[in-house]
Amino acid sequence: MLYKKQTRKLFIRTFGHIEKRIRFVISALVMSLGLMGASFFFFDAFWIFIPILFIASYILTFFSVLEDIEKIEWTMLFLMPVLFTITCYLFYFLFPVRWLTRVPFLISYGVSMYAIFLTSNIFNVGVGKSLQLYRAAFSVNYFYQTLILFLLLIVIFSFKQMFIINGLLIFITTLPLSMQLLWSVKPKTTLDRHILTYSLLISAILMELGIALSFVPVKSTILGLFLTACYYSLTGLFHNYLDQKLFSQTIREYLFVIGFVSLIFLLSIQW
C-alpha cells in the first residue's frame, strides 16, 4: 500500500502538470501504435502480446486518470480500457490482414480509447448524476460494454469449442463487464454486495444461454448478437432498478429488444 501511494505521488509530480485531455491523446496514440505492432505478428504469439497489452493499457490508464483513485476504483476505472484493448487485439485476427482494414481499425481503436479514458475520468471525478456529463459518460460506457461483449462472443464462438468451454468463457467475460456497469450507476470507492449478486445472476443467465445455443446451427455473429441483446436488456433492467427508474414503459422497451433480436435469431437458424 505504501509503495502504491509513493508511486502515485511520483506519477502526479512528474505528469500532473500535463492537461488531462493531452494525456488521453498521448495514451490513445501509444496504445494504437502498440496494437499496430502486435498486429504484424501471427496469432500464435497471442500469449506474449496479451500480457504486454494488458500491462500497457493499465499503466496508460493510470497515466491518463492519475488523481484520486481509491479502493475499488483501481479495478473499475481500469477495466474498460484493458478489456477493450484485449478484445480489439483478439478480434483483429478475424479480419483480412491488409492495410485497407488495418488503418481504419486502428483509427477507430484510438478514437474509442480516447472516449473510454474520458469516461473513466468522469466516473473518477464523481460528477453528479443530474448533470448531462455523467449521463453522456454512462451512455458511452454502456455502448462500449455491448461492443466489447459482442466482439468477444464472436471470437469465442469462432473457436468452435465444446459447449461447456463456451459457457465458462461467456461467464468469465460477462461478470466483470456487468459489475463495472452496475457500479457505474452510482460510482463510489466500494463495491456493494448486491451489485456482485446481480452481476453473478446476469453472468449465470448468459452462461446458460451460451451453453444451450452452442448446439444450435447458426453463425457466430448471430449468436453474438442475440447474447449481446440479452446482456443489454438484463443489465438495462438492473441498472434502472438500481437507479430507481424501473417503470413499466422501460420494461416493455427492453422486452421489445429481446423479442426483435430473438426473431432475427430464429430466422437465421440453418437446420
Side-chain angles (χ1 to χ4, degrees):
M1 183 63 69
L2 179 61
Y3 175 76
K4 183 184 289 186
K5 290 182 178 179
Q6 291 175 343
T7 303
R8 182 169 59 180
K9 288 180 181 180
L10 178 61
F11 263 71
I12 292 174
R13 285 199 303 267
T14 307
F15 304 111
H17 64 281
I18 304 176
E19 185 181 349
K20 278 192 174 183
R21 291 183 181 272
I22 296 177
R23 298 205 299 262
F24 298 161
V25 172
I26 293 172
S27 298
L29 285 174
V30 171
M31 287 306 306
S32 298
L33 292 173
L35 190 62
M36 182 179 68
S39 69
F40 283 102
F41 294 84
F42 291 109
F43 187 68
D44 294 341
F46 77 94
W47 59 276
I48 297 175
F49 287 103
I50 285 182
I52 292 174
L53 293 172
F54 180 97
I55 295 171
S57 56
Y58 194 94
I59 292 174
L60 287 170
T61 303
F62 178 46
F63 166 74
S64 300
V65 180
L66 203 58
E67 296 90 356
D68 302 322
I69 305 173
E70 301 291 343
K71 298 179 181 179
I72 197 64
E73 292 177 342
W74 285 100
T75 299
M76 295 303 173
L77 297 178
F78 294 72
L79 185 65
M80 287 297 290
V82 171
L83 276 181
F84 186 70
T85 298
I86 301 301
T87 300
C88 287
Y89 172 73
L90 294 173
F91 187 74
Y92 173 79
F93 291 95
L94 298 179
F95 279 103
V97 182
R98 57 180 70 134
W99 282 106
L100 188 62
T101 55
R102 180 181 282 131
V103 172
F105 183 81
L106 291 172
I107 292 174
S108 301
Y109 168 78
V111 173
S112 297
M113 283 297 286
Y114 179 89
I116 292 172
F117 287 141
L118 185 60
T119 299
S120 295
N121 181 65
I122 292 172
F123 290 152
N124 183 42
V125 171
V127 177
K129 290 206 316 167
S130 59
L131 300 180
Q132 287 295 112
L133 188 60
Y134 171 84
R135 295 175 183 174
F138 185 86
S139 298
V140 170
N141 185 64
Y142 205 176
F143 168 76
Y144 280 108
Q145 281 234 349
T146 54
L147 178 61
I148 287 172
L149 184 62
F150 177 62
L151 297 180
L152 281 177
L153 287 171
I154 292 176
V155 172
I156 290 171
F157 286 115
S158 296
F159 288 150
K160 300 187 183 303
Q161 296 293 323
M162 293 178 58
F163 65 94
I164 192 65
I165 296 178
N166 288 341
L168 289 174
L169 290 175
I170 291 170
F171 183 86
I172 293 170
T173 300
T174 308
L175 182 59
L177 286 172
S178 56
M179 285 176 60
Q180 196 270 351
L181 180 67
L182 298 182
W183 170 83
S184 68
V185 175
K186 297 180 180 179
K188 50 186 177 181
T189 58
T190 57
L191 184 67
D192 294 337
R193 183 177 297 178
H194 61 274
I195 289 179
L196 178 58
T197 302
Y198 297 154
S199 301
L200 287 169
L201 177 60
I202 292 169
S203 303
I205 293 173
L206 267 292
M207 179 184 69
E208 292 172 359
L209 285 172
I211 290 174
L213 296 179
S214 296
F215 298 98
V216 179
V218 69
K219 293 181 179 179
S220 57
T221 51
I222 301 299
L223 284 172
L225 177 64
F226 177 73
L227 289 176
T228 302
C230 293
Y231 174 82
Y232 171 80
S233 297
L234 286 171
T235 52
L237 292 172
F238 276 108
H239 91 67
N240 277 285
Y241 172 75
L242 291 172
D243 206 19
Q244 298 180 347
K245 295 180 180 178
L246 188 59
F247 306 119
S248 57
Q249 178 62 29
T250 306
I251 296 174
R252 285 195 295 270
E253 289 174 356
Y254 285 113
L255 290 178
F256 173 79
V257 172
I258 286 290
F260 180 73
V261 178
S262 297
L263 179 61
I264 295 175
F265 176 79
L266 292 173
L267 294 175
S268 302
I269 296 177
Q270 302 171 343
W271 294 111

